[in-house]
Amino acid sequence: MARSAVGHHRSHWLKEVLPDEEDCPALVGAERADVAIIGGGFVGLWTALRIKERDPACDVVVLERDICGGGASGRNGGFVLSWWPKLASLVRLCGRNDAIALARASEAVIDELGRYLDDHSIDGGFHRGGWLWTATSAAQMGAWEPVMQLCEQFGVQPFVRLSPEEVASRTGSPRHLAGVFEPAAATVQPAAVVRGLRRVAIERGVRIFERTQVRRLPRRRPTVLLTAGGRVRADKVVIATNAWAANLVELHSSMVVISSDIVVTAPIPERLKEIGWRGGEGITDSQIMVDYYRTTRDGRVAFGKGGWGIAIAGRVPASFDQHPGRARLVAGDFRRYYPALADVPIVGDWSGPIDRTPDSLPILGHLGGREHLIYGVGWSGNGVGPSVLAGKILSALALGTDDEWSSLPLVDRPRKRFPPEPVRFLGAHVVRQAIVSKERAENAGRRPFWAAEQLSKLAPAGIEDKK
Ligand SMILES: Cc1cc2nc3c(=O)[nH]c(=O)nc-3n(C[C@H](O)[C@H](O)[C@H](O)COP(=O)(O)OP(=O)(O)OC[C@H]3O[C@@H](n4cnc5c(N)ncnc54)[C@H](O)[C@@H]3O)c2cc1C
């Protein structure tokens, strides 16, 4: 059997780990399963693994249109973040106590991820360097204050306030004017993690079919999923297709699909030491179109930005695999933030889709209220850590277990909706242009146009509830 070819469009992370093991076969003919999971990313694989832990006899099939990790899970920035920066949104969803419990759970799974990788010999590059949430313009100063104040009001302290000097020295660039630090956060080599989970899933008896796209999802029970070469009759189905789920009529109005683009430099471990970025911290600025950057274990910088691309009608276009124009814009931000690294070559770039919900918290539950069709999508750019929670929640739902996970307030929650197409696509472009205009002005120390400022307020929340 073939091993996965390392296509040009693959992320730097996937190129590092592929080819690893033989590809799983594509589905041919008729199969049956207790649970069929659509999507072989973090969410699908964690769900498969947790089902097998709870009920080893359960026959679980994973159907993946590409290879496991070919989606966002093998392409992301590798930040493992909690939901503490989403505390205000969580309070709006479920009140103070449940919000704190959910944020605590999202922090606890960061540790759990590290332990799981160790216990299962997955060399996922887990590094607890923490997260620096920073300001890179005067307009961004104090973006974290509403979250900090809520934490202080609730008597929780996930963040540490740093002096401006410390922020500048730890990030290795004076462009960082202020910030706070979350020590619990980590980074991983995401493709190594997702491919490791795939390996463990296969060892546990999960049957994986790669290069197997589900073309039809009939809603009746038992469901017969149709692919190009065969079909799977399943008692329960878990939809773990991230941004690709935006084409489902039940979920379409709750997700906007945007791109996130990353560039990676050549290894420069000595230069990183010289500028002072030594702790392996993950860093973000406080723009609406957020810049996120981190170092790698071989001393590169991976620098990404969300929001340049907007998908029409929720269909993920080929340009969300790789886009030279957007990569140049991201590289421009890297050069602006790190002028001391102006000569460092950029050696790779790639892109991927983000499944953004109106409040940037995920949506999980029963598709159209059907007990046998379960979904978990809408990670909104923070899915590496939360997908560990997803595995617990979705496995409980798939097995019909009534427990602390199936009863979380995230499950079958009331959902806000985006406007219908074409208003949504056109509106998203207008808002994106307003954000670009506003943030360019702010970065240049100018006052943005009033209209740009007002329209920017219509953007969905990001990975933080910022000012
Ligand atoms: C560039 C980028 C940077 C990011 N950075 C971060 C970060 O630093 N930290 C963080 O926490 N999150 C980040 N994210 C988000 C994070 O990657 C996702 O939230 C997470 O990977 C979601 O996992 P998933 O399993 O839902 O999605 P995916 O990994 O995308 O898995 C879904 C899978 O479903 C498959 N699929 C789709 N349709 C079908 C079908 N019809 N049949 C069969 N299979 C199908 C796809 O091929 C895909 O492999 C980033 C995302 C991107 C794109």
Side-chain angles (χ1 to χ4, degrees), residues 198 226 335 348 382 447:
R198 170 189 180 274
L226 298 178
R335 304 287 186 210
N382 179 6
R447 222 203 135 103

Side-chain angles (χ1 to χ4, degrees), residues 322-384:
Q322 198 171 38
H323 190 282
R326 292 199 306 262
R328 273 195 295 277
L329 291 167
V330 177
D333 281 11
F334 165 61
R335 304 287 186 210
R336 191 159 57 81
Y337 283 4
Y338 285 96
L341 304 178
D343 58 319
V344 170
I346 285 174
V347 296
D349 64 87
W350 68 94
S351 188
I354 303 275
D355 47 351
R356 181 160 274 189
T357 63
D359 62 4
S360 294
L361 288 171
I363 48 176
L364 306 99
H366 299 91
L367 194 72
R370 298 173 190 89
E371 199 222 329
H372 64 294
L373 297 180
I374 293 141
Y375 66 91
V377 297
W379 306 97
S380 302
N382 179 6
V384 179

Side-chain angles (χ1 to χ4, degrees), residues 38-45 63-81 194 212-215 240-245 247 258-262 292 350-355 376-377 379-387:
I38 314 175
F42 287 140
V43 174
L45 292 172
L63 303 167
E64 166 53 53
R65 63 184 267 282
D66 184 9
I67 55 166
C68 290
S73 298
R75 313 187 202 179
N76 60 69
F79 285 57
V80 194
L81 299 176
V194 70
T212 299
Q213 178 174 3
V214 173
R215 294 186 162 179
T241 50
N242 187 24
W244 288 270
N247 62 13
I258 59 170
S259 73
S260 201
D261 300 274
I262 304 188
Y292 52 94
W350 68 94
S351 188
I354 303 275
D355 47 351
V377 297
W379 306 97
S380 302
N382 179 6
V384 179
S387 64

Side-chain angles (χ1 to χ4, degrees), residues 116-129:
Y116 193 95
L117 299 179
D118 280 348
D119 292 349
H120 296 82
S121 306
I122 298 173
D123 184 14
F126 183 89
H127 174 75
R128 191 187 285 283

